[in-house]
Amino acid sequence: MSKLIVSKKNDDFLPDSVSKGAFSKWLEDEKLRMRVVVYPSGYEADHVCYQGHAFYVVSGNIKIKIDEEITEWNKGDAFIIPDDIPHVVFNPNEEGAKVIVVDHH
């Protein structure tokens, strides 16, 4: 197990350094990063992101804005936004959403 990068279920969610206002657990190595992110009620990203991500919605739902199109993603949904596609994540709902986000860095 010494070669694994691990986060256990009782590890704290900390303020996310990429998605200001969200909370997360990070796992990363030199090439790959996985975050379990909690987007609280009312969350809206403070920036437009151009890096690609794979998303899996664990609970709740989020919305993603690409150009002028807004899509809603619910528990159990998974999707990939390729690199160089500008997008904004937000959660206008009354409950928080938990999302697994995987990307390269």
Side-chain angles (χ1 to χ4, degrees):
M1 296 273 287
S2 64
K3 296 182 183 203
L4 300 180
I5 300 167
V6 176
S7 175
K8 294 291 193 171
K9 67 180 178 181
N10 56 351
D11 289 348
D12 291 334
F13 281 84
L14 301 173
D16 192 279
S17 62
V18 175
S19 299
K20 304 291 187 228
F23 299 88
S24 66
K25 297 180 186 184
W26 286 59
L27 294 166
E28 66 182 326
D29 65 11
E30 302 82 36
K31 298 179 185 178
L32 190 63
R33 174 174 57 200
M34 181 179 83
R35 296 181 292 149
V36 180
V37 183
V38 173
Y39 296 109
S41 173
Y43 172 82
E44 185 169 343
D46 64 347
H47 66 285
V48 176
C49 187
Y50 290 83
Q51 182 180 22
H53 311 286
F55 288 81
Y56 176 78
V57 182
V58 176
S59 64
N61 62 51
I62 60 170
K63 293 186 179 186
I64 304 282
K65 182 177 182 182
I66 297 176
D67 296 324
E68 296 305 313
E69 182 180 2
I70 296 173
T71 54
E72 185 170 335
W73 302 93
N74 298 294
K75 178 181 176 179
D77 290 340
F79 58 98
I80 295 173
I81 299 175
D83 283 341
D84 302 319
I85 303 295
H87 58 279
V88 176
V89 177
F90 59 103
N91 177 9
N93 306 297
E94 290 185 17
E95 69 177 55
K98 185 181 289 184
V99 179
I100 295 172
V101 181
V102 178
D103 57 29
H104 53 85
H105 61 98

